[in-house]
Amino acid sequence: MTQDQNEIASGERGSLSRRTVLATMGALPVLAATTSVLGASEAEAATAVIDPSAPRQTIRGFGGMAHAAWIGDLTAAQRDTAFGTGEGRLGFSVLRIPVPENQADWSRDLATARRAIELGATVIASPWNPPANMVETFVRGSQTDAKRLRYNMYGAYAQHLNAFNDFMRNNGVNLYGISVQNEPDYAHDWTWWTPAELVRFLRENAGSIGTRVIAPESFQYLKNISDPILNDSAALANVDIIGAHLYGTSFANFPYPLFKQKGAGKELWMTEVYYPNSSDSADLWPQALDVGEHIHRAMVDAEFQAYIWWYIRRGYGPMREDGQISKRGAIMAHFARFVRPGYVRIEATANPASNVYVSAYRGGDSTVVIVAVNKGTSAVSQQFTLANSTASGVSSWLTDASRNVAPQGTTGVSNGSLTVTLPARSMMTFVTGVSSGPSPSPSPSGGTGLCRVAYTTSSWNNGFTAGISITNTGTSTINGWTLGFTLPPGQTITSGWNATYTPSSGQVSARNVGYNGTLAPGATIDIGFQATHTGDTAEPTAFTLNGVPCTVV
């Protein structure tokens, strides 16, 4: 994607760009083919079966792009709106930033990246151009000033990417991954790469890069750009994430059989898109529901592990120029706020009725999230049944023409089933606690056996992440919980997920958030945090749940 000189603050354009035409050409026939009008009365749908025991891909997150050089930085308040997870927030857990070609510009997006990290998000980076001294011009068709990386500069370019990664890490941002090139196959305004050039760089140079490597980020998920990487074992060994953009990509081209065949151990991310266009207001309704179907298909049909929008703040984006969440943003929040990093998509009846799209996700052993889109003009009576599981009460949130991710309270579950009304032209998210049967009662070791805690960490030079699993091993449901523990000296929490943490060091209390306050007997809740340390990465030695000591395993 490039900055559009015709683009104005509202996101409208004086004339359609080639990108907009491609996106429209790719989207409209599919939407037209799947749209039908339901009757005026409430329609019944087939039961949507949700199977928590049937895992699919692990979700890394949902997010968007910040590009201070082109549209200005996010304000402090806008960062919190983008990456916060509470009511009125987008809940984004992935931030994408550019890799400027000039080192003097590397700090432009640092403040936003730092805040995203503090709020628990992952940060990745993509370059548009190498430094000017590494580039040469050549003739490519009718383009006489096309740019490419000079072949004798491949090693220096890898060092450039590594230096940016080091700069960000030394300034508090550990990049999850860095791309070789943004849209190497749509580079009229930046640097072209052929598939053979990408393979050569990956084979010979990418192994020296000190973070995960992302490639190829084709603008239209063209498989002829990524197939050569998957078919070259040496190149594939130096790639961690197959990245793709979805501009004009038809739903029929979302699946990627070759990745399933050869991509074992690799991740599959959708790293940029806007949809269905950049010419309409993001508040246009019911068009914003198209975003819901698009994300659904990206998760279910393509099995992407991340979904990243273009500019976070734009008239056609998830956040309006005034910093308020748009309708498209509300649709994204139905996924982003509730389907958190590390959740796993599980099997679900994807299309139980015409214009109804369902996907489901499991967090640890205890939480199931169901996201449902109803694009039809009539309400739908939809039954959800949890296979091989029992569930507690279900909390839900609704977006329609007049409401944005509005809490709808708690609904009971009977024999693992729930029947709800999906209003016409709406989107809903449902969150419930589940268990797959009684958990074995461990022999108490420093605890009473009413709760069990597992604590795991992953550390680096000055930081670490901690995952905490809390299991109710008692016979009564816990409604509202606080986990208490003491961090060793020098450890300070900088961000967390699925709980609120106070204070950030010393004797810490982790309290439930709105969607996971109920802990049924045998159920497990997964929470976690990111922290800094001064050399001591020891684990807490004891935990209490609502003041009662827990068994530590």
Side-chain angles (χ1 to χ4, degrees):
M1 184 65 196
T2 186
Q3 181 185 29
D4 190 333
Q5 299 300 324
N6 295 323
E7 189 180 67
I8 59 178
S10 68
E12 299 176 351
R13 300 169 185 263
S15 60
L16 292 179
S17 67
R18 179 169 177 255
R19 170 62 52 76
T20 301
V21 172
L22 284 169
T24 304
M25 289 174 62
L28 290 181
V30 177
L31 293 176
T34 59
T35 300
S36 64
V37 178
L38 300 177
S41 60
E42 183 175 294
E44 287 194 19
T47 298
V49 178
I50 314 297
D51 190 352
S53 67
R56 304 298 299 182
Q57 76 271 28
T58 299
I59 305 302
R60 296 303 179 197
F62 304 83
M65 179 91 187
H67 202 312
W70 286 357
I71 63 166
D73 201 0
L74 298 176
T75 67
Q78 290 167 356
R79 293 167 192 148
D80 287 354
T81 297
F83 300 103
T85 57
E87 298 298 333
R89 302 288 192 259
L90 284 167
F92 283 176
S93 51
V94 182
L95 169 67
R96 181 173 178 244
I97 60 173
V99 180
E101 54 199 86
N102 297 317
Q103 187 169 349
D105 299 326
W106 283 359
S107 62
R108 277 178 173 162
D109 297 286
L110 185 58
T112 291
R114 279 176 173 164
R115 185 56 178 156
I117 289 287
E118 290 173 355
L119 292 172
T122 290
V123 180
I124 64 169
S126 297
W128 269 246
N129 291 300
N133 68 304
M134 299 183 190
V135 174
E136 65 182 5
T137 60
F138 70 107
V139 176
R140 186 184 186 278
S142 60
Q143 187 178 2
T144 59
D145 60 348
K147 292 187 295 185
R148 68 185 173 202
L149 180 65
R150 290 161 50 193
Y151 289 166
N152 64 349
M153 286 290 178
Y154 277 31
Y157 182 55
Q159 293 175 15
H160 167 74
L161 297 179
N162 230 1
F164 180 79
N165 179 55
D166 291 343
F167 172 85
M168 296 301 291
R169 184 177 63 247
N170 292 337
N171 284 277
V173 177
N174 288 287
L175 293 179
Y176 188 85
I178 195 166
S179 175
V180 175
Q181 173 66 48
N182 171 75
E183 297 182 350
D185 53 338
Y186 188 81
H188 305 277
D189 297 316
W190 47 88
T191 303
W192 292 97
W193 292 66
T194 66
E197 289 166 344
L198 286 166
V199 167
R200 176 183 169 182
F201 178 83
L202 293 169
R203 287 174 60 99
E204 299 177 4
N205 306 101
S208 66
I209 297 173
T211 187
R212 295 173 185 83
V213 174
I214 305 169
E217 291 200 285
S218 165
F219 88 105
Q220 205 173 37
Y221 201 15
L222 298 178
K223 308 306 190 294
N224 65 320
I225 306 297
S226 49
D227 280 358
I229 298 172
L230 291 169
N231 285 321
D232 188 297
S233 59
L236 185 60
N238 289 331
V239 174
D240 302 282
I241 301 170
I242 297 296
H245 298 180
L246 291 180
Y247 292 108
T249 310
S250 68
F251 293 147
N253 287 330
F254 274 27
Y256 198 0
L258 186 64
F259 178 82
K260 285 187 170 297
Q261 177 186 348
K262 297 190 173 183
K266 309 300 177 182
E267 298 186 11
L268 185 65
W269 286 40
M270 197 292 294
T271 55
E272 185 190 310
V273 78
Y274 54 70
Y275 188 87
N277 56 48
S278 64
S279 55
D280 290 328
S281 165
D283 286 320
L284 186 62
W285 191 266
Q287 188 200 73
L289 283 171
D290 292 349
V291 176
E293 182 188 357
H294 198 254
I295 299 176
H296 166 88
R297 291 182 179 270
M299 296 293 106
V300 175
D301 299 348
E303 296 193 84
F304 284 117
Q305 296 172 259
Y307 185 100
I308 304 173
W309 193 268
W310 178 225
Y311 293 136
I312 293 174
R313 187 196 64 225
R314 219 57 180 158
Y316 55 85
M319 182 188 297
R320 302 191 315 234
E321 291 290 351
D322 63 2
Q324 299 301 306
I325 294 176
S326 69
K327 283 295 187 184
R328 291 182 181 181
I331 295 302
M332 290 191 71
H334 274 277
F335 289 93
R337 276 183 53 193
F338 306 102
V339 183
R340 303 304 295 168
Y343 279 36
V344 176
R345 187 176 72 83
I346 54 179
E347 286 290 350
T349 305
N351 192 207
S354 178
N355 292 305
V356 174
Y357 304 93
V358 173
S359 61
Y361 310 82
R362 183 163 187 163
D365 293 327
S366 61
T367 302
V368 166
V369 179
I370 303 169
V371 185
V373 184
N374 179 13
K375 293 180 67 178
T377 57
S378 294
V380 172
S381 177
Q382 180 64 62
Q383 180 178 354
F384 298 104
T385 296
L386 289 164
N388 306 311
S389 300
T390 58
S392 54
V394 177
S395 300
S396 61
W397 289 259
L398 168 69
T399 294
D400 58 13
S402 61
R403 291 169 286 190
N404 284 355
V405 204
Q408 300 299 294
T410 302
T411 305
V413 178
S414 178
N415 297 320
S417 291
L418 167 74
T419 299
V420 299
T421 296
L422 304 177
R425 291 174 169 170
S426 71
M427 186 161 181
M428 296 192 73
T429 296
F430 305 89
V431 180
T432 184
V434 299
S435 61
S436 301
S439 300
S441 299
S443 299
S445 175
T448 67
L450 297 180
C451 53
R452 183 175 67 243
V453 169
Y455 185 93
T456 58
T457 61
S458 176
S459 61
W460 56 93
N461 54 353
N462 60 354
F464 68 96
T465 58
I468 308 173
S469 294
I470 310 165
T471 301
N472 179 2
T473 57
T475 58
S476 300
T477 297
I478 298 172
N479 292 303
W481 51 264
T482 298
L483 183 73
F485 56 93
T486 300
L487 289 175
Q491 296 184 8
T492 302
I493 296 174
T494 57
S495 62
W497 51 93
N498 293 343
T500 57
Y501 298 85
T502 54
S504 59
S505 60
Q507 293 183 339
V508 177
S509 293
R511 293 180 174 84
N512 68 272
V513 289
Y515 54 81
N516 64 1
T518 300
L519 189 57
T524 299
I525 288 174
D526 292 293
I527 65 174
F529 60 85
Q530 181 166 311
T532 58
H533 66 82
T534 57
D536 184 359
T537 58
E539 301 178 359
T541 57
F543 296 84
T544 62
L545 190 67
N546 292 348
V548 178
C550 295
T551 300
V552 181
V553 295

